[in-house]
Amino acid sequence: GENVEQHPSTLSVQEGDSAVIKCTYSDSASNYFPWYKQELGKRPQLIIDIRSNVGEKKDQRIAVTLNKTAKHFSLHITETQPEDSAVYFCAGYGGSQGNLIFGKGTKLSVKP
Amino acid sequence: DGGITQSPKYLFRKEGQNVTLSCEQNLNHDAMYWYRQDPGQGLRLIYYSQIVNDFQKGDIAEGYSVSREKKESFPLTVTSAQKNPTAFYLCASSIPMGRGSDEQFFGPGTRLTVL
């Protein structure tokens, strides 16, 4: 089955810098890769996703890239702000099971 | 934040007791999921259901049970057989994976503490 690994587990950046979080997956049949943001004490919320037929997707300050050959995908946040501080989860969906497989999360801290 | 709700927000249980966590959605989603969240462990799948009256075990189903008698509801029972139940429990719903939008919508969570 699918296995998703996420790095780093914690990330601290200065406000205005960029942040990059990386995930790898094991199932070459996986075709959907969402990223969720979870603020402290709140529910995870989808911030961006990408499908396997696309190499990159952008939405304002956030972007996701996918390398199918290497089986990894990354979240890029530019011009970070204190409100970007949260835990970010990547996930993969392989189609052979009916559910998402989540990474263990990255705690991002943006220092003013 | 409507659409999918969980109750209660906080729950305290004595050892040896069964407790049931509620999850309700009005998004007309066929699929529903239960996840357990522990610090540093991400989201681990307990059970999921893709249609009424059907459900499958996830990665950590031992000590838990579910039912899916109605499309809107997917309650989770934490039994006394679950050895370490203290955690944050999240319910989610979606259109069944692979049939269009794959986004999962999460409820606000229930924090369970065993005393």
Side-chain angles (χ1 to χ4, degrees):
Chain A
E2 176 69 288
N3 181 48
V4 176
E5 296 196 356
Q6 183 172 348
H7 300 279
S9 56
T10 60
L11 179 60
S12 182
V13 300
Q14 288 294 132
E15 182 176 0
D17 288 349
S18 295
V20 180
I21 303 170
K22 298 181 180 181
C23 289
T24 61
Y25 62 97
S26 60
D27 188 348
S28 57
S30 290
N31 55 23
Y32 174 67
F33 306 95
W35 286 88
Y36 284 82
K37 175 184 180 182
Q38 186 179 27
E39 297 178 4
L40 188 62
K42 296 191 176 181
R43 71 186 81 191
Q45 292 193 305
L46 180 73
I47 54 171
I48 196 167
D49 56 14
I50 193 167
R51 297 195 179 273
S52 58
N53 59 348
V54 176
E56 182 176 2
K57 185 176 178 181
K58 291 185 70 173
D59 184 2
Q60 300 182 342
R61 294 187 299 108
I62 60 173
V64 57
T65 58
L66 171 65
N67 184 326
K68 286 168 51 180
T69 302
K71 290 191 282 188
H72 67 71
F73 56 110
S74 300
L75 177 70
H76 304 253
I77 306 174
T78 59
E79 301 173 18
T80 54
Q81 301 167 3
E83 51 265 40
D84 294 330
S85 296
V87 178
Y88 292 81
F89 293 98
C90 64
Y93 169 64
S96 59
Q97 69 271 344
N99 53 278
L100 290 171
I101 304 299
F102 284 87
K104 292 188 175 182
T106 296
K107 183 177 181 180
L108 174 64
S109 300
V110 180
K111 298 181 179 179
Chain B
D1 285 338
I4 180 164
T5 59
Q6 292 183 241
S7 62
K9 187 174 182 179
Y10 299 98
L11 185 58
F12 298 91
R13 189 195 94 173
K14 295 182 179 179
E15 284 193 24
Q17 284 183 335
N18 292 354
V19 290
T20 297
L21 283 58
S22 170
C23 178
E24 304 277 333
Q25 54 96 4
N26 62 4
L27 300 169
N28 200 32
H29 286 162
D30 285 311
M32 297 186 74
Y33 313 82
W34 274 106
Y35 294 93
R36 170 178 171 144
Q37 188 173 28
D38 296 282
Q41 292 294 318
L43 300 171
R44 293 187 290 170
L45 185 67
I46 305 172
Y47 269 97
Y48 66 102
S49 167
Q50 292 186 295
I51 198 167
V52 174
N53 293 322
D54 187 50
F55 48 83
Q56 289 78 41
K57 293 182 179 180
D59 299 322
I60 55 166
E62 184 175 352
Y64 300 96
S65 66
V66 293
S67 63
R68 187 81 188 281
E69 297 176 0
K70 297 189 300 182
K71 187 176 185 177
E72 300 80 14
S73 178
F74 191 39
L76 173 74
T77 297
V78 184
T79 74
S80 57
Q82 169 48 235
K83 296 180 181 178
N84 185 21
T86 295
F88 188 51
Y89 291 87
L90 284 161
C91 179
S93 71
S94 75
I95 297 171
M97 303 296 291
R99 298 185 189 180
S101 171
D102 292 317
E103 180 178 357
Q104 290 190 10
F105 294 83
F106 285 85
T110 292
R111 189 166 297 280
L112 173 63
T113 302
V114 173
L115 303 173

